[in-house]
Amino acid sequence: MEALMLAALKVREKLFYSSSLALKLLTGFLLGIVMWIAVNGLESSVIISPTMFLSSILELFLRMSIMPLMPAVTMMNIGRGPHSELELLRLSYNVELLDGIPSAIGNFTSLNSLDLTSSNFQGAIPSAIGNLTSLNNLDLSDNKLEGAIPSAIGNLTSLNNLYLSSNKLEGAIPSAIGNLTSLNNLDLSGNKLEGAIPSAIGNLTSLNNLYLSSNKLEGAIPSAIGNLTSLNNLDLSGNKLEGAIPSAIGNLTSLNNLYLSSNKLEGAIPSAIGNLTSLNNLDLSFNELEEAIPSAIGNLTSLNNLDLSFNELEGGIPSAIGNLTSLNNLDLSRNKLEGGIPASFKNLCKLRSLDLVSNNLSQEINEVFEILSGCVSNGIEVLSLSNCQLSGHLNNLLGQFKNLDSLDLSDNSIAHQIPATLGVLTSLTSLRLSNNKLNGSLPIGFGALENLVDVDISYNSLEGEVSEIHFANLTNLRYFHASHNQLILRVNPHWIPPFQLVESIYLRSWDVGPQLPRWLRSLKHLVFLDLSNSKISSTLPVWFSDWSLRLSYLNLSHNQLHGKIPYLSSSNDLFSFIDLSSNKFNGPLPNVSSYWIDLSDNLLSGSLFTFLCHRTHDLITELLNFGKNHLSGEIPDCWMNWKYLEVLKLNDNYFSGKIPSSIGILSDLQFLNLRNNTLFGEIPLSLEHCEALTVLELDENRLEGNISTWLENQNYSQMVILNLRGNQFHGHVPIGLCRMTYLQILDLANNNLSGTIPTCINNFSAMVDGTGKQGQIVLYLQELGFSDSSSIMTKGEMIEYSTNLNFVRSMDLSNNKLSGDIPEEITRLEALHSLNLSHNLLSGRIPEEIGNMKELESLDFSQNHLFGEIPPSMSSLTFLSKLNLSNNKLSGIIPSGTQLQGFDPSTFSGNKLCGLPLIKNCNVDGDMPPIGIERGEDDKGSKSFAWFYFYVSIAPGFVVGFWAVMGPLVFNRRWRHLYFNFLDNLWDKFMVWYYVNVARFVKGHGL
């Protein structure tokens, strides 16, 4: 039978590549019969049912005829003896094997080795594979197998090697895998396995290599893994493992490589890890490990690579790391380490890469260079110390690091000049010194760095002239970012730069003017160009239009460019950026095509119709900013081809007419700003389809209509800024407004709104606790180079916020006809910075708990009908710098405290208040705080206030006065006699006066 099988395979191999299709099919069918008999035996073919026989023949027929010759069936050791069977089957690297592994594979019970690698097998692993109890090697890796690993695999107790990596296997790792006690290698990586690692894996004490990476395994690392004392390689990275690293891992003293990165491991790194003295590679990065790095890590003297990055490790860097003299790569970046680089690092003579980015080293850069200046400086190639709180200044020690390939000192506080010794680092390909305090000029030696590819020296205070010599040998330069310095570029007008391969140039805030540099024209590979705020005051040259087609990013904003804008487009339609804002361009809108278009703050005039409507296909434009120009006419109703717009700004122009209904087609729209035009009519109901709206600014127009009709049924759940100020809207403030929980800025001032303030305003969570999504939006825009701004009325003046817009929380309902009480719920808005309810018809009292609004900086309740006293809690508003309570019916004493007494008296005018800062003194004028009166009856209250104290004072006054006179007469006899003698004499004198004057007068007149 074995000879029959080998003969069939040889015949197939000869005929397949030379025969016609018909001959191939016939040969395949006949050879299928022969192969079936060879595998199953002649007796089986006699007694088997015809249906099963034909099915088996058909399967082999398809494999033999339609599928190309399987080159991997290169070895078949056919056993000897009467019952010999197949022992090795290798079908690897047959990409046309598109069906699943047949369950008939279980019939090959004598197989020692089964290799089906990289053959596009699909479906599940058949449970029948558990019948192959003689298997030593099973390799099903790099296929498309799905489903769970069958528990029957636990029957393969003779297995030495099991490879199931790079498939789509799901479910848990079966505990039955713990039966495979003869396993040397187990690789289940690159699947979708879930659940916990079974503790039964600790039974595999013969394991040399265990790979479970890139799955979805959860739970803790079982301590039973410490039983695998023969392990050389352990890789559990790229899962969702939690909990602490078990100390039992210290038992794996034969381990060469340990990879636990990209999990959710927490707690401290166990000191037992110091037992793994054979380790070459240790990677614990991208976890949530805490506390200090154990000094026991210094025992790993064979370590070549140590990566503890992206954790929460604290404390100092242990000096014991200096014992790792075999270390090539050390990465401790993005932790919370502090205290500086230990002096013991000078022993790391084999170090090639040191990455300590985003730690709090708080060390001087000179000290760092001094520690590393010995043998380390001779070999180190990558030094990354970005955002490490480094200070001091660079000195000539920098020149000792002559093999440096990459130097990153960005985001620190390094000051003074860049040393001239920079020019000797000729191996440098990447130099990053951005966001420091460097000053002085760019050293001439910069031009000697012939291998430089990537340079970022932006956000410093470098100054002086830069000329051709600074770029003399930079022929490999690809990225040159030097924005936000005070450098002056002075080169020959006909200069051809040596960096002809450059792709990105950022020179924002340089002086490159007054002409647009002609040398740009020679740069054939340039894709990103930023010359914003660079003192260019010319027109755009004729060659610029065609040359700019290659650019994906063009920023010439904040210059003095003038004239007309030519046709501008980009060859990269998927992502391109054109920013010509804040210049003096005039004329009509140009025919510009780009992903992002910003032409704001210019002198462009005319209609929007030609630009907007003469488009024959859908545009991928995402941002369109024409704000602050002189555009006029109606906003065209042809937004159908702009359906990808997310940001639309037409503010501060001279547009008139109605808001077009087709704007509702823009379902992705997030920012809509039409403020300060002369638009009229109602807001189109089609705008309800723009549910992604985050910022809606329609203020300072002539829009009208019932605001309730429009807002009540809207679903603007993402709204952050709603500004309808200065229009002619009427109706009640709808309750539906409260569904905008992310709202940070609400301005409905200067309209004709009526009714009460909704009590549900405490639903504005961004105003309650300060959380919101505006920060995410601003960050998203800034990443793409666009900074949004909004004009907000606060503290009585219009202020334009841009970079700090995320931090503003404001509500303005002033100049309407709102009535009723100020709801107590408003005091829940504790993150609010500005609140203006002035010029309404509000009555009642100021809410007692207004002192809870600790973040208030501006508060205006003026021109209402508020009564009662000012709540004492208002004196606790320590950030309050603008207050107006004038022209209400408030009474009583102004609460004491330096906060309220520091305001101008006009703040409290038009009320019945007393006390500082008013001249009216409560004690002198008899005005006292209202006590014992009916709240709300303020006119009567002032009179009742005086009568109350009159009645209260009668009894004690009478008692005191009576005993002050009668007391001495009762207890002193002499005073008593004198007193009555005095009364007798006084009475006698009165009677004499009476008879002399009154009686004589009566008699004389005959009365």
Side-chain angles (χ1 to χ4, degrees), residues 135-377:
L135 269 185
N136 300 129
N137 302 292
L138 175 58
D139 192 346
L140 307 180
S141 60
D142 197 19
N143 283 288
K144 298 178 181 179
L145 298 171
E146 301 171 336
I149 299 174
S151 57
I153 209 161
N155 300 337
L156 310 181
T157 53
S158 299
L159 212 56
N160 300 129
N161 304 296
L162 176 58
Y163 304 107
L164 304 179
S165 62
S166 301
N167 281 286
K168 299 178 181 180
L169 298 172
E170 301 171 335
I173 299 174
S175 298
I177 210 161
N179 300 338
L180 310 182
T181 53
S182 298
L183 268 185
N184 300 129
N185 298 290
L186 175 58
D187 189 352
L188 307 180
S189 62
N191 283 287
K192 300 178 181 179
L193 298 172
E194 301 171 335
I197 300 174
S199 57
I201 208 160
N203 300 337
L204 310 182
T205 53
S206 299
L207 265 186
N208 299 129
N209 302 293
L210 175 59
Y211 303 106
L212 303 180
S213 62
S214 301
N215 281 288
K216 299 179 181 180
L217 299 172
E218 300 173 338
I221 299 174
S223 56
I225 210 161
N227 300 337
L228 310 182
T229 54
S230 298
L231 269 185
N232 299 129
N233 297 288
L234 175 59
D235 190 351
L236 306 180
S237 61
N239 283 287
K240 300 179 181 179
L241 299 172
E242 301 172 336
I245 299 173
S247 57
I249 209 160
N251 300 337
L252 310 181
T253 54
S254 299
L255 210 57
N256 299 129
N257 301 294
L258 175 58
Y259 302 105
L260 303 180
S261 63
S262 299
N263 282 288
K264 298 180 180 180
L265 300 172
E266 55 191 12
I269 299 174
S271 298
I273 208 161
N275 300 338
L276 310 182
T277 54
S278 298
L279 268 186
N280 299 128
N281 298 289
L282 174 59
D283 188 352
L284 306 180
S285 62
F286 290 93
N287 281 289
E288 300 170 10
L289 298 171
E290 302 168 331
E291 301 184 30
I293 301 173
S295 57
I297 208 162
N299 299 338
L300 310 181
T301 53
S302 299
L303 210 57
N304 299 130
N305 301 293
L306 174 60
D307 191 347
L308 306 180
S309 62
F310 288 92
N311 280 288
E312 303 289 331
L313 298 171
E314 301 172 343
I317 301 174
S319 58
I321 288 183
N323 300 336
L324 309 181
T325 54
S326 298
L327 207 59
N328 298 134
N329 300 292
L330 174 60
D331 190 348
L332 305 179
S333 63
R334 291 175 173 83
N335 282 284
K336 298 178 180 179
L337 301 171
E338 54 189 12
I341 296 175
S344 62
F345 270 41
K346 65 183 180 182
N347 301 326
L348 305 180
C349 298
K350 295 184 179 180
L351 198 63
R352 296 295 176 266
S353 174
L354 175 61
D355 190 345
L356 301 178
V357 166
S358 295
N359 283 289
N360 187 14
L361 299 183
S362 299
Q363 198 171 17
E364 289 205 0
I365 187 63
N366 293 342
E367 184 182 351
V368 174
F369 282 162
E370 189 172 346
I371 293 171
L372 303 179
S373 62
C375 62
V376 179
S377 65

Side-chain angles (χ1 to χ4, degrees), residues 422-577:
L422 176 70
V424 304
L425 307 183
T426 54
S427 296
L428 267 184
T429 62
S430 178
L431 174 64
R432 295 179 173 270
L433 303 176
S434 62
N435 284 292
N436 277 287
K437 299 178 180 179
L438 298 170
N439 55 30
S441 59
L442 191 65
I444 299 295
F446 179 77
L449 306 178
E450 58 187 9
N451 290 307
L452 263 185
V453 175
D454 179 12
V455 177
D456 190 350
I457 55 174
S458 56
Y459 292 94
N460 281 287
S461 299
L462 298 173
E463 55 190 7
E465 289 194 357
V466 177
S467 62
E468 293 96 330
I469 194 171
H470 290 91
F471 302 99
N473 296 308
L474 306 186
T475 55
N476 292 300
L477 194 63
R478 300 290 196 283
Y479 311 98
F480 184 62
H481 296 181
S483 296
H484 296 281
N485 286 286
Q486 288 81 51
L487 294 166
I488 303 170
L489 183 63
R490 291 293 178 260
V491 295
N492 188 296
H494 303 289
W495 178 55
I496 298 179
F499 44 82
Q500 289 296 302
L501 300 177
V502 72
E503 299 175 17
S504 178
I505 296 178
Y506 285 68
L507 303 181
R508 184 183 181 94
S509 300
W510 279 42
D511 181 355
V512 302
Q515 301 292 320
L516 188 73
R518 188 181 301 176
W519 50 264
L520 290 171
R521 194 175 182 182
S522 66
L523 304 178
K524 308 297 184 184
H525 299 278
L526 192 63
V527 179
F528 301 92
L529 175 64
D530 187 349
L531 295 180
S532 59
N533 191 29
S534 57
K535 299 184 179 180
I536 302 174
S537 57
S538 64
T539 60
L540 293 178
V542 176
W543 53 265
F544 184 81
S545 181
D546 291 335
W547 175 83
S548 64
L549 289 174
R550 73 191 65 167
L551 298 179
S552 290
Y553 180 93
L554 171 63
N555 190 346
L556 299 179
S557 65
H558 297 85
N559 283 291
Q560 299 294 315
L561 289 161
H562 56 274
K564 291 181 172 57
I565 302 174
Y567 170 77
L568 294 177
S569 184
S570 173
S571 57
N572 184 0
D573 288 336
L574 292 178
F575 181 82
S576 57
F577 182 108

Side-chain angles (χ1 to χ4, degrees), residues 647-660:
V647 179
L648 174 60
K649 300 191 69 173
L650 303 176
N651 56 289
D652 297 284
N653 280 285
Y654 299 100
F655 291 115
S656 58
K658 298 183 177 182
I659 300 176

Side-chain angles (χ1 to χ4, degrees), residues 28-222:
F29 184 74
L30 295 175
L31 289 178
I33 297 175
V34 173
M35 288 288 290
W36 195 93
I37 295 174
V39 172
N40 295 282
L42 183 60
E43 297 84 357
S44 300
S45 64
V46 174
I47 63 175
I48 196 170
S49 67
T51 302
M52 184 177 296
F53 175 75
L54 289 175
S55 176
S56 301
I57 294 302
L58 181 60
E59 179 180 352
L60 287 170
F61 157 67
L62 290 174
R63 291 182 181 275
M64 296 293 291
S65 58
I66 298 176
M67 185 184 67
L69 178 66
M70 297 182 290
V73 185
T74 55
M75 186 185 301
M76 287 190 111
N77 295 326
I78 308 299
R80 307 294 178 180
H83 300 290
S84 61
E85 296 184 8
L86 199 62
E87 294 181 359
L88 186 148
L89 180 58
R90 183 180 299 158
L91 303 178
S92 56
Y93 300 100
N94 280 276
V95 295
E96 278 79 15
L97 291 177
L98 298 179
D99 50 354
I101 300 173
S103 57
I105 196 77
N107 296 333
F108 294 90
T109 54
S110 296
L111 270 181
N112 293 326
S113 180
L114 177 59
D115 185 354
L116 306 181
T117 307
S118 302
S119 297
N120 272 336
F121 279 113
Q122 300 177 356
I125 300 175
S127 298
I129 208 162
N131 299 338
L132 309 181
T133 53
S134 298
L135 269 185
N136 300 129
N137 302 292
L138 175 58
D139 192 346
L140 307 180
S141 60
D142 197 19
N143 283 288
K144 298 178 181 179
L145 298 171
E146 301 171 336
I149 299 174
S151 57
I153 209 161
N155 300 337
L156 310 181
T157 53
S158 299
L159 212 56
N160 300 129
N161 304 296
L162 176 58
Y163 304 107
L164 304 179
S165 62
S166 301
N167 281 286
K168 299 178 181 180
L169 298 172
E170 301 171 335
I173 299 174
S175 298
I177 210 161
N179 300 338
L180 310 182
T181 53
S182 298
L183 268 185
N184 300 129
N185 298 290
L186 175 58
D187 189 352
L188 307 180
S189 62
N191 283 287
K192 300 178 181 179
L193 298 172
E194 301 171 335
I197 300 174
S199 57
I201 208 160
N203 300 337
L204 310 182
T205 53
S206 299
L207 265 186
N208 299 129
N209 302 293
L210 175 59
Y211 303 106
L212 303 180
S213 62
S214 301
N215 281 288
K216 299 179 181 180
L217 299 172
E218 300 173 338
I221 299 174

